[in-house]
Amino acid sequence: MTVLGEYALPRDKPVWTSMLVEVLGILDVEEKSARQALARSAAEGWVVSERVGRRVRWSLTPPGRRLLTEGADRIYAFGREERHWNGQWLMLIVSVPEAKRDLRHRLRTRLTWAGFGSPVAGVWVSPDLSRQREAQQIVSELGLDAQAMSFTAAYGEVGEQESMVARSWDLTELKDRYEDFIDRFTGLHPTGGRAVLRAQTELVHEWRRFPFLDPQLPAELLPAKWSGTKAAELFHHKHVDWRPEAQQYWDDIVEAEEAG
């Protein structure tokens, strides 16, 4: 999906199986695994195949195009915005019985994706008040709106705000992930279209994980010299720097496939 989003999506043209297998091979994906990945993507409704003679080519379906477009918007915009915070918190109280573990998991997954953290069981917090409508939609779709409550307020005088943040989000693990990303790509200087395409694809593939992991807290709530800021600068610089040659190499492969 990273390959399709980075190269196929902007062109809106079918892609031959042999070409996708070749590009995934550059990323050390074996042919069998590449074909299995295509089959899974088709089964999930993201791509559809078309036979042309003895060859097969693939196109994005409308849901697949929408998924990748939304993903691209989020990936490329992530880390660019500087958040201004007025000190107000959104607090959501919603409890799910212990017996309904699947429902608890779905609630946790969706609220985490929306940037909420949970300092104690049944309580979710976010410094982004605009998330209230999304929270309302989540609890409504899960059938939990009848017992859910929300508040907006500043942190009080009991306890420490820093402690609540530490209990709500694992910023230490996130910091380590950002630093691994920085270590991996800072000194990477690929030469030649094939190497640049590989580096660019791996860069995007690794970066696309962070919107799922990072709640994008305002600077006031983050540790000093937050590594996420440096990682974002690195990603956007490398992506712009490598993009022309990576895209050109993709076009060269397309041209070779069409000629062959």
Side-chain angles (χ1 to χ4, degrees):
M1 297 304 287
T2 302
V3 168
L4 291 173
E6 187 69 11
Y7 306 105
L9 179 65
R11 291 166 174 78
D12 195 23
K13 293 181 179 179
V15 183
W16 297 107
T17 300
S18 55
M19 180 177 171
L20 286 170
V21 168
E22 179 180 347
V23 171
L24 289 171
I26 295 173
L27 300 163
D28 297 329
V29 178
E30 296 182 355
E31 180 176 347
K32 181 180 178 181
S33 297
R35 292 182 181 276
Q36 288 174 342
L38 274 170
R40 285 196 302 271
S41 298
E44 292 173 4
W46 308 133
V47 295
V48 63
S49 63
E50 175 191 8
R51 183 167 290 279
V52 182
R54 299 180 63 182
R55 305 175 73 193
V56 174
R57 60 185 183 183
W58 299 83
S59 300
L60 291 167
T61 62
R65 175 165 292 279
R66 185 166 58 250
L67 175 77
L68 290 178
T69 299
E70 291 173 356
D73 290 344
R74 186 154 191 166
I75 291 167
Y76 303 140
F78 186 75
R80 285 190 180 276
E81 299 179 0
E82 183 177 347
R83 299 204 161 198
H84 299 285
W85 187 49
N86 63 1
Q88 294 289 301
W89 286 92
L90 169 61
M91 181 170 67
L92 176 70
I93 299 176
V94 54
S95 59
V96 181
E98 180 69 31
K100 297 183 178 180
R101 292 186 178 180
D102 181 61
L103 183 58
R104 285 163 62 95
H105 174 72
R106 289 160 62 197
L107 178 67
R108 174 172 290 277
T109 299
R110 294 189 61 179
L111 287 176
T112 300
W113 165 247
F116 283 82
S118 180
V120 295
V123 177
W124 294 85
V125 295
S126 170
D128 186 352
L129 301 189
S130 68
R131 294 289 187 181
Q132 188 157 200
R133 181 174 295 180
E134 187 174 0
Q136 183 179 31
Q137 181 179 356
I138 291 170
V139 296
S140 177
E141 290 178 356
L142 295 178
L144 295 168
D145 48 333
Q147 60 260 47
M149 296 176 285
S150 66
F151 304 86
T152 57
Y155 194 86
E157 297 181 2
V158 179
E160 296 182 351
Q161 185 168 253
E162 293 79 4
S163 176
M164 184 189 72
V165 170
R167 293 167 64 179
S168 301
W169 295 278
D170 190 347
L171 295 181
T172 300
E173 181 180 353
L174 181 59
K175 173 178 173 287
D176 291 342
R177 285 176 174 264
Y178 273 131
E179 290 181 351
D180 287 344
F181 179 88
I182 293 167
D183 290 344
R184 178 173 178 182
F185 291 103
T186 295
L188 190 59
H189 303 287
T191 56
R194 180 185 176 93
V196 173
L197 181 140
R198 172 173 179 146
Q200 177 81 321
T201 307
E202 291 179 341
L203 179 82
V204 174
H205 190 66
E206 291 301 317
W207 185 250
R208 70 184 298 172
R209 306 172 193 269
F210 288 108
F212 293 91
L213 301 171
D214 189 344
Q216 286 201 286
L217 300 177
E220 295 92 330
L221 301 175
L222 292 170
K225 298 181 180 179
W226 177 238
S227 56
T229 304
K230 183 177 180 181
E233 293 172 353
L234 175 66
F235 168 77
H236 293 294
H237 172 75
K238 293 286 189 181
H239 188 262
V240 170
D241 190 38
W242 291 341
R243 189 177 192 279
E245 193 166 359
Q247 295 290 332
Q248 183 58 55
Y249 192 75
W250 174 274
D251 288 335
D252 291 345
I253 298 175
V254 171
E255 186 176 339
E257 286 286 335
E258 295 292 345

